[in-house]
Amino acid sequence: MTYIDPNISRRWHRLVLGAAVLGISALLTGTSAGAASVDKAPFGKTQDGKAVDLYTLTNDKGASVKFIAYGGIITAINVPDRWGKLDNIVLGFKELADYESKNPYFGALIGRYGNRIGGAKFTLDGTQYQLAANNGPNSLHGGSKGFDKAVWAVEPLTNVSGAAARLSYTSKDGEEGYPGTLTVQVVYTLTNDNELRIDYEATTDKPTVVNLTSHSYFNLAGDGAGGIGDHILTINADRYTPVDATLIPTGELASVTGTPFDFRQGMPIGARIRSNDPQMVYGRGYDHNYVLNRSDSGLSLAARVYEPRSGRIMEISTTEPGVQFYSGNFLDSTLVGPTGQQYRQTDGFCLETQHFPDSPNKSSFPTTVLKPGETLKSTTIHKFSTDAS
Ligand code: GLA
């Protein structure tokens, strides 16, 4: 049974929506749209006894994003199809225990370093740092206890056109082998235009490396609707970063022309996924970083995905230089979703906006070094619409 603390719920409604803005826009448009809100309810306790809440951001269109304080994990994104029917379009679990024990990063905030660092080590200012090798010889997604396994502090935000919450986490100096105390804030905003906006900020007290991302597995036909092979994907990238057999970039920025990696014109994800291109064999499908085309460092379009049956469209814009396209290759039917569905290979896909994998060991890649006095700022927007809107 879901319990919503009425006091908190009321207070947050007032805070978030009090939003004269919303009232005025409703008056102007003559709509009686539901007010945006932030609600919270208990979700369970971690194995070491920490209470974890589930938060629901609802916008004035009735779309919602649910996330838990554990790992900042987005457990559901409910958006309309072309007939206006809301469905959850991300993979997840029913129970906190599943997120704790077997999550392949469903919906999680990833840090301190998203994707892989080769040989689980890097050198910064002459000192070598040893990380946990949790993915063959490499370190993946921040090590054995990355940000996806931390319980984040959560607070609702005011003055937004929609519903929002700020998540905060302080990673200690030396945590998972990384230098410097890293103070991280992430804001999830569900705008009244059906955009999920993720703003990241981080500061450090010693030079360190940082690469933050969000790891939702999408299925725009609806969670549990089967494979994602028919989704039409466009990626705004002329180049990608080929990898070795352990999925570490070779350092080359290769052209996508004439390869299964060319998504500059929309293509079904499944069309070339069985290619015997060695790159596809290494990743068992797509598990590659794309070098985004961009003219400046602002928000620019990274990818667009269209699902023909539901008519849903997702457009991702980012300030990051890259996006990891992962076609859910390691899902193997052993995980079961919230409504009892088995997750098979390619039942979900990820588009993780990021700096390139292994940047700390690749001086030619855009730097991921963060120094004291600097503030890392990064934004990614997922805009949801349909072919009827
Ligand atoms: C990232 C990696 C993949 C895989 C998934 C999680 O996308 O690049 O290789 O590890 O995370 O399973």
Side-chain angles (χ1 to χ4, degrees):
M1 210 173 97
T2 309
Y3 164 75
I4 297 178
D5 180 324
N7 294 319
I8 289 168
S9 176
R10 269 198 298 276
R11 181 157 46 87
W12 286 19
H13 273 80
R14 274 207 306 278
L15 281 171
V16 175
L17 322 176
V21 178
L22 292 174
I24 291 166
S25 82
L27 277 177
L28 290 177
T29 58
T31 59
S32 56
S37 61
V38 182
D39 288 296
K40 85 169 177 177
F43 191 67
K45 278 196 175 156
T46 58
Q47 275 154 19
D48 58 3
K50 288 194 191 115
V52 170
D53 288 320
L54 169 73
Y55 295 81
T56 304
L57 309 178
T58 307
N59 70 9
D60 71 359
K61 308 277 188 311
S64 63
V65 170
K66 291 176 182 282
F67 71 92
I68 54 176
Y70 180 82
I73 291 171
I74 293 173
T75 60
I77 299 179
N78 295 297
V79 288
D81 65 8
R82 70 163 73 87
W83 300 281
K85 181 172 173 284
L86 295 173
D87 280 308
N88 171 30
I89 53 138
V90 291
L91 279 54
F93 294 117
K94 197 170 180 182
E95 310 274 349
L96 180 58
D98 290 340
Y99 283 113
E100 267 198 286
S101 61
K102 51 184 162 192
N103 188 13
Y105 305 97
F106 285 160
L109 285 175
I110 305 293
R112 186 175 298 201
Y113 197 94
N115 214 277
R116 293 174 178 78
I117 295 185
K121 56 180 187 262
F122 67 95
T123 300
L124 182 60
D125 297 336
T127 304
Q128 182 175 292
Y129 296 93
Q130 184 65 49
L131 311 169
N134 62 335
N135 188 253
N138 308 318
S139 191
L140 176 67
H141 292 334
S144 30
K145 190 169 186 283
F147 294 180
D148 57 295
K149 296 179 183 67
V151 177
W152 293 64
V154 181
E155 53 180 317
L157 286 182
T158 55
N159 296 323
V160 294
S161 173
R166 178 189 291 120
L167 294 82
S168 311
Y169 177 64
T170 301
S171 168
K172 295 197 177 69
D173 186 11
E175 187 175 295
E176 287 294 326
Y178 290 94
T181 308
L182 191 77
T183 307
V184 188
Q185 296 200 328
V186 178
V187 176
Y188 288 154
T189 306
L190 177 62
T191 72
N192 290 327
D193 293 327
N194 285 354
E195 294 165 327
L196 169 60
R197 178 183 173 115
I198 308 181
D199 291 289
Y200 305 83
E201 269 195 35
T203 53
T204 184
D205 62 0
K206 285 184 193 164
T208 190
V209 296
V210 196
N211 192 20
L212 304 173
T213 191
S214 168
H215 207 302
S216 286
Y217 286 61
F218 296 95
N219 185 330
L220 299 186
D223 175 34
I228 45 85
D230 291 341
H231 285 55
I232 312 289
L233 171 65
T234 310
I235 303 181
N236 182 20
D238 295 337
R239 293 170 301 168
Y240 77 111
T241 52
V243 290
D244 68 16
T246 72
L247 302 181
I248 295 296
T250 59
E252 187 193 353
L253 306 184
S255 168
V256 296
T257 305
T259 75
F261 297 94
D262 192 346
F263 281 96
R264 290 174 294 186
Q265 308 291 328
M267 284 288 277
I269 291 177
R272 298 161 298 177
I273 205 165
R274 294 191 191 284
S275 154
N276 55 12
D277 181 308
Q279 285 295 316
M280 299 289 283
V281 176
Y282 291 153
R284 298 200 208 169
Y286 295 100
D287 195 352
H288 293 79
N289 171 69
Y290 282 76
V291 180
L292 293 172
N293 297 335
R294 57 165 60 255
S295 48
D296 57 40
S297 58
L299 273 167
S300 86
L301 187 71
R304 179 183 194 272
V305 191
Y306 170 56
E307 198 287 305
R309 279 184 292 157
S310 64
R312 288 194 183 90
I313 296 166
M314 174 171 71
E315 285 165 311
I316 300 181
S317 309
T318 188
T319 56
E320 288 294 315
V323 66
Q324 183 84 8
F325 170 41
Y326 171 58
S327 50
N329 318 321
F330 300 114
L331 296 174
D332 61 2
S333 308
T334 54
L335 301 177
V336 176
T339 55
Q341 66 276 35
Q342 279 187 333
Y343 290 132
R344 297 162 309 163
Q345 196 176 26
T346 67
D347 273 0
F349 66 92
C350 303
L351 287 164
E352 303 150 62
T353 53
Q354 61 179 13
H355 272 58
F356 306 168
D358 202 31
S359 297
N361 294 310
K362 300 277 189 303
S363 55
S364 59
F365 286 178
T367 184
T368 50
V369 174
L370 183 70
K371 297 187 178 134
E374 298 174 343
T375 301
L376 174 156
K377 286 192 183 191
S378 169
T379 298
T380 294
I381 296 176
H382 301 74
K383 180 166 178 53
F384 300 102
S385 61
T386 73
D387 55 9
S389 53

